[in-house]
Amino acid sequence: MDFQDVMRSRRAVNFFAPDRDVPPEDLDKILETATRAPSGFNLQPWKVAVLREPAQKAKLRALAWDQPKVTEAPVILMFLADTEAWKLYSPSFERQFSYLVETGHFKPEDRDAFAASVKSLYGETPEKSLAFAVKNTAFFAMTVMYAAADLGYVTHPMDGFDHDGVRGAFSIPDTFWIPLLMAVGHMKPGTDVAPPKWRFDLDDITYKLPD
């Protein structure tokens, strides 16, 4: 699809066709496209858990305000924001620093300086670490929605769930925050799609800094 068509036609859909699957190869293509999303220092502090099994989705639905789409959609994605991806020796840090050395941007002896720069931005406080992880994972999740729409699928992002309950039920490590869940599939036949919602005008979203 043309990007403008993706932007203007995408909707958060509540009703999914439970008998229409998302083939693994299509989901792989969606996620692979989304990995091109930007991230601070290219640390890519995100993981995604794919829920397909009815028992898994039923357990999640009980912790997600009993939303029917959690069990009706063929795929539920659980986005995990890695609050420690900035840390020295984390897989994200090591992969990125190795890349920077391989491409000639840094020398091996620059490791501590690079680590200090990253820590100053993302690791000085728990709040900074959480913000780093969540905002970058949000870039990834939004790109998933666009990539899914481009392949003809519908999605619905959800933040209506018991965060700590989901963490415990699925044994998610404390180093991850769960910013959102996302249903992916096909729209249920006969579903009425709401017209586009209002949006602020450019004048409304442009903030004029004081002189």
Side-chain angles (χ1 to χ4, degrees), residues 11-20 22 51-54 56-58 60-62 64-77 145 154-161 180-188 191:
R11 295 287 186 279
V13 171
N14 271 307
F15 303 101
F16 289 80
D19 57 341
R20 295 191 66 188
V22 178
L51 285 71
R52 288 183 177 272
E53 295 299 321
Q56 283 187 318
K57 292 191 292 181
L60 182 61
R61 177 172 169 172
W65 298 7
D66 196 32
Q67 297 177 73
K69 56 182 168 284
V70 175
T71 51
E72 291 176 354
V75 172
I76 299 294
L77 302 178
M145 284 192 274
V154 296
T155 58
H156 194 118
M158 295 172 273
D159 54 12
F161 60 95
L180 72 156
L181 312 172
M182 187 184 298
V184 184
H186 293 275
M187 188 160 32
K188 186 176 183 179
T191 300

Side-chain angles (χ1 to χ4, degrees), residues 22-62:
V22 178
E25 57 270 23
D26 279 1
L27 184 60
D28 286 351
K29 187 179 298 184
I30 290 167
L31 296 177
E32 173 64 29
T33 297
T35 63
R36 314 313 298 178
S39 63
F41 277 86
N42 196 37
L43 290 169
Q44 304 168 58
W46 52 65
K47 302 287 185 187
V48 59
V50 179
L51 285 71
R52 288 183 177 272
E53 295 299 321
Q56 283 187 318
K57 292 191 292 181
K59 181 166 67 171
L60 182 61
R61 177 172 169 172

Side-chain angles (χ1 to χ4, degrees), residues 19 23 25 32 82 88 91 107-108 116 126 136 145 179 207 211:
D19 57 341
E25 57 270 23
E32 173 64 29
D82 185 355
L88 185 66
K107 297 177 180 178
N136 285 287
M145 284 192 274
Y207 185 84
D211 295 332

Side-chain angles (χ1 to χ4, degrees), residues 16-196:
F16 289 80
D19 57 341
R20 295 191 66 188
D21 197 9
V22 178
E25 57 270 23
D26 279 1
L27 184 60
D28 286 351
K29 187 179 298 184
I30 290 167
L31 296 177
E32 173 64 29
T33 297
T35 63
R36 314 313 298 178
S39 63
F41 277 86
N42 196 37
L43 290 169
Q44 304 168 58
W46 52 65
K47 302 287 185 187
V48 59
V50 179
L51 285 71
R52 288 183 177 272
E53 295 299 321
Q56 283 187 318
K57 292 191 292 181
K59 181 166 67 171
L60 182 61
R61 177 172 169 172
L63 295 164
W65 298 7
D66 196 32
Q67 297 177 73
K69 56 182 168 284
V70 175
T71 51
E72 291 176 354
V75 172
I76 299 294
L77 302 178
M78 183 188 299
F79 291 87
L80 307 176
D82 185 355
T83 62
E84 296 190 349
W86 58 269
K87 284 188 173 182
L88 185 66
Y89 302 122
S90 74
S92 292
F93 181 97
E94 293 302 316
R95 182 75 177 270
Q96 174 61 0
F97 187 72
S98 294
Y99 169 80
L100 292 172
V101 171
E102 290 167 6
T103 55
H105 291 85
F106 281 81
K107 297 177 180 178
E109 56 267 31
D110 295 328
R111 174 188 292 275
D112 289 344
F114 180 68
S117 296
V118 173
K119 182 178 180 179
S120 70
L121 284 173
Y122 308 132
E124 287 186 335
T125 66
E127 290 79 10
K128 281 189 174 183
S129 295
L130 180 60
F132 154 72
V134 170
K135 69 185 176 183
N136 285 287
T137 301
F139 293 153
F140 176 64
M142 189 73 252
T143 309
V144 168
M145 284 192 274
Y146 292 149
D150 186 53
L151 286 186
Y153 293 100
V154 296
T155 58
H156 194 118
M158 295 172 273
D159 54 12
F161 60 95
D162 177 350
H163 183 277
D164 291 337
V166 171
R167 185 201 293 283
F170 292 90
S171 301
I172 305 300
D174 290 342
T175 53
F176 290 109
W177 183 263
I178 310 169
L180 72 156
L181 312 172
M182 187 184 298
V184 184
H186 293 275
M187 188 160 32
K188 186 176 183 179
T191 300
D192 291 328
V193 179

